[in-house]
Amino acid sequence: MSANTPIVTEMQVIPVAGYDSMEMTLSGAHAPYFTRNLVIIKDSSGHTGIGEIHGGDYTYECLTSCIPLVVGQEVGKYRSILGCIHRGGKQAAGDDGEGIQTLDISKLKFVVKAEWAIECALLDLLGQHLGIPVCELLAEGKQRDQVEVLGYLFYVSDKNKTDLPYLDESQSRDPWFRMRRQEMISHEQIVEQACCLQDKYGYRNFKLKGGVFSGDYEMDTVRALKKQFPQGRINIDPNGAWSLEEAIRLCRGMGSILSYIEDPCGPEAGFSSREIMAEFKNATGLLVATNMIATNWRQFYHAAALKAVDIVLADPHFWGLEGSLRMAALLNDWGLTWGSHSNNHFDITLTTFAHVAAAAPGSPTALDTHWIWQDGQNLLKDTPVIKNGYLEVPDRPGLGVTLDMDQVMEANKLYNRMPSHDRDDAMAMQYLIPGWIYDSKKPCLVR
């Protein structure tokens, strides 16, 4: 019997790398390069589907092990393909189930679901076969033509204090490209960063990555941002660096400044992040978002039972496309809010985020995206545009974008030149603080 949809004839996994700035977070400083894995699937009708996921050898090996489960299958049976992958999987050695509630970067690979990239590529193929965009295949179909995104602000250290190969864009004609590779640590510099991003992308709302300086210093930066953008929604994400006592002190009475706060505190005194965040909410009345304490359904059950969060940033890299939107539907029905967290990524992820958010019911919060820090390193010939603070949703079949294989292979060459492919935020910190070691309860420059 002939297939009703095309058959997968080939699946490739191509590891790639791109350039990054010396952005500061609780886990340290971003290295000169970031890595990703691309999935490219071809079918019997001549179409090509694409997906992008986190980098590293662990994720690459997970993806390549799935090739025999994908090739030869019918594109329209993508759910069965993913189900077969799930049933064949097992908990990795070293995965203690802790997740990332303490932002241990070494555990991030266990939270990421590698098959997300396969799901994305198969949906890309199915959309092309049916002649409709991916967002029409998700949840209840397309809800909006454009997706609001926020300006993701970072303190940036001085790359010239290292001998690491950070990209130099000082001669660029683009004001943002020049700025993003320079040191930005003062309140005034962060405000200038936000103004530059507003000029280039039209952002109305901003999130500051905290966990770098003292909480008092970072809250002063937040106040400076609110003064500059009185109508803007301003948020901060210290990745759980603050103690409960400190978080309450810093945030009490900040309701007119912060629209919400993301992961202000983490586990302490024998209590999980979910319990601690519930106490924080009770004490401050602020809306709380997370991408750390509800990264799977079991964690979410406990977070919801404790009423610990109001906004779940259900990154499709953690949940899958369908899983992220199941979460969006549930949150909408419960009167809560859906959004998405991001890591450094190329424009394939940017496109996929656009489709997922376009199908999310209700009123999602503005999405995170690191894309502005990677803008210009395109792997697509037709990268979606961020304009007036909104990301366009391609309206062509599938993901609606075209892969630039020349750029992909250049990014693959960069990956292959790297001595290590795992994320290491401690490396650059050694130039700033010799002997620096990650501590989930201390901002990275507080030692």
Side-chain angles (χ1 to χ4, degrees):
M1 183 171 64
S2 61
N4 294 312
T5 56
I7 303 296
V8 174
T9 57
E10 181 184 345
M11 174 176 156
Q12 289 179 280
V13 183
I14 302 179
V16 291
Y19 294 95
D20 204 358
S21 299
M22 199 174 174
E23 301 143 66
M24 310 292 290
T25 75
L26 177 66
S27 60
H30 285 201
Y33 309 117
F34 70 100
T35 63
R36 305 288 280 175
N37 282 292
L38 306 186
V39 169
I40 303 174
I41 301 179
K42 297 182 178 180
D43 68 20
S44 56
S45 66
H47 291 139
T48 299
I50 55 177
E52 176 191 339
I53 195 71
H54 288 59
D57 297 335
Y58 174 85
T59 302
Y60 174 81
E61 291 166 5
C62 289
L63 287 168
T64 54
S65 71
C66 295
I67 292 175
L69 302 176
V70 178
V71 174
Q73 300 297 315
E74 190 176 339
V75 169
K77 296 181 179 179
Y78 73 95
R79 289 180 185 270
S80 294
I81 298 172
L82 293 169
C84 184
I85 292 172
H86 291 149
R87 289 189 296 274
K90 61 182 180 180
Q91 191 162 352
D95 182 2
D96 59 7
E98 176 72 15
I100 54 170
Q101 65 170 331
T102 59
L103 199 70
D104 185 342
I105 294 300
S106 69
K107 295 179 180 178
L108 181 61
K109 61 189 177 186
F110 300 135
V111 176
V112 171
K113 301 296 186 291
E115 65 271 18
W116 173 86
I118 298 172
E119 178 189 14
C120 181
L122 290 171
L123 283 166
D124 188 8
L125 288 173
L126 185 59
Q128 292 177 63
H129 171 71
L130 297 173
I132 57 176
V134 163
C135 57
E136 293 288 9
L137 299 171
L138 299 171
E140 296 180 6
K142 188 176 184 180
Q143 306 292 308
R144 54 193 64 84
D145 295 322
Q146 56 182 2
V147 174
E148 187 175 13
V149 286
L150 53 74
Y152 207 160
L153 309 175
F154 283 83
Y155 296 108
V156 181
S157 192
D158 183 0
K159 67 181 186 300
N160 297 315
K161 292 180 179 178
T162 80
D163 57 7
L164 299 172
Y166 287 98
L167 190 65
D168 184 354
E169 292 188 292
S170 58
Q171 302 305 310
S172 174
R173 296 181 179 180
D174 187 304
W176 167 239
F177 288 6
R178 291 197 303 272
M179 179 180 288
R180 66 185 178 180
R181 309 301 181 196
Q182 299 172 0
E183 183 180 47
M184 290 179 279
I185 57 175
S186 70
H187 310 316
E188 294 77 14
Q189 287 170 326
I190 298 301
V191 169
E192 184 182 2
Q193 182 184 136
C195 290
C196 188
L197 290 175
Q198 186 177 65
D199 289 343
K200 183 172 177 62
Y201 302 102
Y203 287 124
R204 298 173 174 83
N205 308 303
F206 300 92
K207 181 173 89 171
L208 174 66
K209 176 62 78 174
V212 179
F213 296 99
S214 70
D216 290 288
Y217 184 88
E218 292 178 350
M219 281 307 218
D220 283 343
T221 302
V222 166
R223 292 185 182 92
L225 287 165
K226 187 64 175 179
K227 182 177 180 181
Q228 180 68 33
F229 303 97
Q231 304 306 313
R233 298 197 299 276
I234 309 298
N235 313 308
I236 184 171
D237 173 19
N239 284 123
W242 304 335
S243 69
L244 175 61
E245 181 180 5
E246 182 183 20
I248 292 171
R249 177 180 65 80
L250 291 170
C251 296
R252 185 173 276 157
M254 288 288 285
S256 62
I257 305 293
L258 292 170
S259 59
Y260 66 78
I261 184 162
E262 183 179 339
D263 291 305
C265 34
E268 63 179 75
F271 296 95
S272 73
S273 298
R274 288 165 282 280
E275 294 164 310
I276 294 297
M277 293 253 281
E279 292 189 23
F280 170 84
K281 274 194 62 181
N282 290 339
T284 64
L286 285 176
L287 295 177
V288 173
T290 187
N291 79 289
M292 294 174 64
I293 71 169
T295 60
N296 59 44
W297 290 105
R298 184 179 175 187
Q299 290 180 5
F300 174 69
Y301 167 76
H302 291 285
L306 292 167
K307 298 183 178 179
V309 295
D310 306 280
I311 303 166
V312 179
L313 304 177
D315 188 337
H317 297 97
F318 299 171
W319 296 85
L321 280 72
E322 291 284 0
S324 182
L325 289 170
R326 280 167 50 207
M327 174 62 76
L330 181 62
L331 292 169
N332 185 53
D333 288 344
W334 286 4
L336 301 174
T337 302
W338 176 88
S340 182
H341 142 275
S342 85
N343 276 302
N344 301 86
H345 59 82
F346 285 106
D347 41 354
I348 300 167
T349 283
L350 182 72
T351 305
T352 311
F353 276 18
H355 282 280
V356 173
S363 301
T365 191
L367 269 65
D368 294 8
T369 175
H370 280 65
W371 167 244
I372 56 175
W373 297 88
Q374 277 72 59
D375 191 356
Q377 303 179 62
N378 300 4
L379 301 184
L380 300 172
K381 295 180 180 179
D382 39 17
T383 301
V385 173
I386 299 174
K387 185 177 180 181
N388 297 323
Y390 285 83
L391 170 63
E392 68 174 13
V393 181
D395 60 1
R396 297 178 295 280
L399 288 179
V401 290
T402 309
L403 198 61
D404 187 330
M405 281 305 299
D406 289 338
Q407 291 296 104
V408 168
M409 297 319 297
E410 285 300 313
N412 175 249
K413 289 178 182 177
L414 179 60
Y415 181 92
N416 290 329
R417 291 198 300 267
M418 295 175 60
S420 173
H421 302 135
D422 290 328
R423 179 171 168 177
D424 183 0
D425 288 12
M427 174 179 60
M429 289 301 299
Q430 306 308 313
Y431 294 86
L432 306 179
I433 303 175
W436 184 91
I437 298 174
Y438 172 71
D439 186 331
S440 66
K441 303 310 294 182
K442 290 182 179 179
C444 73
L445 289 178
V446 178
R447 290 293 187 273

